[in-house]
Amino acid sequence: MYRYNQQDQAGVDARVAEFRDQTARYLAGSLSADEFRHLRLRNGLYVQRFAPMLRVSIPYGLLSSKQMRMLAHIARKYDKGYGHFTTRQNIQYNWPKLETVPDILADLATVEMHAIQTSGNCIRNITSDPLAGAARDELVDPRPYCELTRHWATFHPEFNWLPRKFKLAFSATTSDRAATRVHDIGIHIVRNAAGELGYEVYVGGGLGRTPIIGQKIRDFLPEADLLSYCEAILRIYNLLGRRDNIYKARIKILVKEMGLAAFAEQVEAEWQRIKDGPLKLQAGQLEAMKAHFGSFHYDASAAADQSYAQRLERDSAFAAWTKRNLQPHRVDGYHLVFLSLKARGVAPGDVDAAQMDAIADLADRYSFGELRATHNQNLVLADVRQQDLYPLWQELVRLNLATPNIGLLTDVICCPGLDFCSLSNASSIAVAEEIFDRFESLDYQHDIGEIKLNMSGCMNGCGHHSVGHIGVLGVDKKGEEWYQITLGGSSGNDASLGDRTGPSVERAHIADAIQTLVETYLELRLNEDESFLDCYRRVGMPAYKRRLYPEAA
Amino acid sequence: MSLLLDRLGQRIPDLYPEWTEPGTPPPGQPRLLTLERFMEEGAPAAAAVLLPNTANVLSLPASVLACPLLVLDYPAFADGRAYSQARLLSRNGRYSGELRARGGAVVYDQLRMLKICCFTQFLLRADQDDEACSLLLSSTATR
């Protein structure tokens, strides 16, 4: 993975000192609360319902075991012993004390981590495919491109005070696992007809109150022009994005109001002026960055192992786990392993400090000392030999990280909800738990197959409800929790926004409603190969609506 | 009274007081005019121009680019439009006079970014610690 050079380290250390000074000035009363708010947000610090919340950056979700141990240390020393992995591959702590945050940041800096630009109206953490570098279906490893972009975006002096937050995501496969189309800029690394590498660029996607699927602004951008093109987009957005209304300030609204063609024209004009300047990637630059990634020495005899097949035959629980929680690796004899953070009775995405330490040990033992956080709020050990899968699985079972539900109904994406967030209308974690109880039978879940259930506690959409195959959104009705349901959303390459089923459902009936929708699907599907999403797209809303609201029929 | 600093953090006099009174000042007297007024008065010599942060700096007339001083405005602490205006103006020597930042963002916590984005003068917001700002500017390298 990428390691900081002296300049990177100096920049992060200086930022810690700067934030320590800002915090001291705020506490002494010489920095106003409003200005401190802007400054602390740019260091990942929110003030939430009960306590501050600190969001730590995990660039494109990649962590070393050493970093994971530091995250455990922070959970223990400064928080209540756990952390929450987010949909943008970061980790959040829900209980730090404001006064101790500079110390947390100083601790993070010792392992090349920080919370810079994890919130505020600036360029946020760059996200990507959590299987990058190991996936069988990828064109190239997107991480060197992400890291170059991260370098460009971090401390960018011109883009620290944008109209609104700005998120970029990269994908280099035909099965988008990074939700790129719901990002402000989504970048697909592609090859053109001439065999050259470059990018398909999408702009103006986003969730929140006005969810919009990003539109393609460029079919093919040459490989060397990545940063200059992003800079041109950001500059036009910084100058022209709306600042009069926070709900209309994202780039998606600018693109919508100007129209894609007019927006693209301005970007193109600016890009032409800067594309041959200092931002143009030099061949050596990209090669040097690529050398930081994926240089593991894979065991050439891994595929010759016989024990894995025997274990599969003898242990059905192990076999069930391998069926759900593994993905094929580009190297024969290796597998990508998902650690499910969606166990019964655990808030989706939560990991405690003891688990973190244990996961770090497992990464060292079985996966070259690295791990990844996923957009779906799980973790991945990306390079596990097949002969190691059984002992790894046994350890994961003991750690409660082996629920074989990846991609199934209980693998929900969920925001922290009312339990932590001051914006939320819904106890999303409690609802997730109820759904877990309802669909606990794994056989039933396997029968239902691939399905994405995404849940947000409010319109801001942190739980990505708009792109869930089933989306659930908490709404407030005269102080009561109600839930609006959408169907048919997707954040994959075929990205789409879900359609509302109709009137919202009260708290007591939300689990019933989801069960009804699932049962309807099971009745309607052509066969077991037709997924929930495909089936919905084929039959449309009326059939589901009739079942969900029988009284209206 | 707001303090005006140069790139090295040295205090400098404001040679272009803002002319807000009706009527025309004596010819040749240095003053700061809004873009609108500058154009109305036919681009008077010895005038500096205050640009709103909504101005398209790529379509400014040559007379504006020939001014000895352009002032960019930060109406609020968190409104960063003028950063991009400054970049566009200073790029490739398009504008080579003095570039001044003024307003709600000209504060200790943004001076470094302002300097990197090519501002040459900083009219500190009135509540700022002059000495700390001066020291910060003197120790900030630009890239």
Side-chain angles (χ1 to χ4, degrees), chain A residues 369-403:
Chain A
E370 289 183 7
L371 62 136
R372 295 103 181 278
T374 80
H375 158 62
N376 281 25
Q377 301 177 283
N378 292 304
L379 295 173
V380 165
L381 294 176
D383 303 279
V384 182
R385 286 187 304 182
Q386 67 184 36
Q387 70 204 69
D388 294 332
L389 288 170
Y390 192 73
L392 172 60
W393 171 71
Q394 289 178 308
E395 303 252 17
L396 292 176
V397 169
R398 204 162 54 237
L399 292 165
N400 199 25
L401 296 168
T403 314

Side-chain angles (χ1 to χ4, degrees), chain A residues 22 25 35 158 238 270, chain B residues 58 84 91 109 125 143:
Chain A
Q22 288 163 346
R25 279 188 282 136
E35 286 178 18
E158 184 182 341
N238 190 37
E270 173 60 9
Chain B
L58 293 179
S84 287
R91 191 163 72 200
D109 293 300
R125 207 175 65 190
R143 44 180 183 192

